[in-house]
């Protein structure tokens, strides 16, 4: 009985943490990969990182649907990708916590 309660608690906390992290991570990846005006070379990398941070903030604020043409990117509904990232993070965190608990 104790193990089931602990597993449920670990799953719940893993899900909460992953939901909170999935929005900025998905936004950063989207902004980093979609930037068309960033150019090449070292300045292009810094531009991509900057747009990644902008999109991470916007994706978190708008809950997965950033505004049109903010930071030189087009608006894409990222909610499906946020959901996938949250599932992956939940699975990884749960398995890591379960493995550490068994040691």
């Amino acid at each position: 009985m104790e193990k089931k309660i602990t597993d449920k608690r670990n799953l719940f906390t893993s899900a909460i943490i992953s939901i909170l992290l999935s929005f900025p991570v998905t936004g950063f990846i989207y902004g980093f990969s979609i930037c068309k005006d960033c150019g090449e070379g070292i300045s292009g990398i810094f531009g991509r990182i900057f747009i990644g941070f902008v999109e991470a903030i916007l994706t978190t604020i708008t809950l997965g649907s950033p505004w049109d043409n903010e930071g030189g990117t087009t608006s894409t509904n990222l909610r499906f990708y946020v959901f996938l990232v949250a599932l992956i993070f939940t699975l990884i965190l749960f398995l890591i916590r379960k493995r550490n608990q068994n040691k």
Side-chain angles (χ1 to χ4, degrees):
M1 183 73 175
E2 175 78 23
K3 186 170 173 118
K4 283 187 177 184
I5 293 172
T6 307
D7 283 346
K8 285 181 183 179
R9 186 177 299 139
N10 282 344
L11 181 62
F12 183 72
T13 56
S14 297
I16 294 295
I17 292 169
S18 67
I19 288 170
L20 292 175
L21 288 177
S22 64
F23 285 103
V25 168
T26 304
F28 181 81
I29 292 171
Y30 170 72
F32 188 85
S33 63
I34 204 70
C35 184
K36 295 175 185 163
D37 300 334
C38 290
E40 296 178 8
I42 193 75
S43 64
I45 294 294
F46 289 136
R48 286 184 181 277
I49 291 172
F50 176 73
I51 296 299
F53 283 128
V54 168
E55 288 295 328
I57 294 168
L58 292 178
T59 302
T60 304
I61 291 171
T62 61
L63 297 177
S65 184
W67 294 297
D68 288 337
N69 200 15
E70 191 67 36
T73 62
T74 59
S75 180
T76 303
N77 190 354
L78 299 176
R79 290 181 181 138
F80 176 72
Y81 301 109
V82 169
F83 176 71
L84 287 178
V85 169
L87 282 178
I88 292 169
F89 281 178
T90 300
L91 179 65
I92 290 170
L93 286 173
F94 179 71
L95 292 176
I96 287 172
R97 293 182 85 181
K98 192 171 184 176
R99 186 187 68 191
N100 290 340
Q101 196 176 48
N102 290 338
K103 286 184 177 180

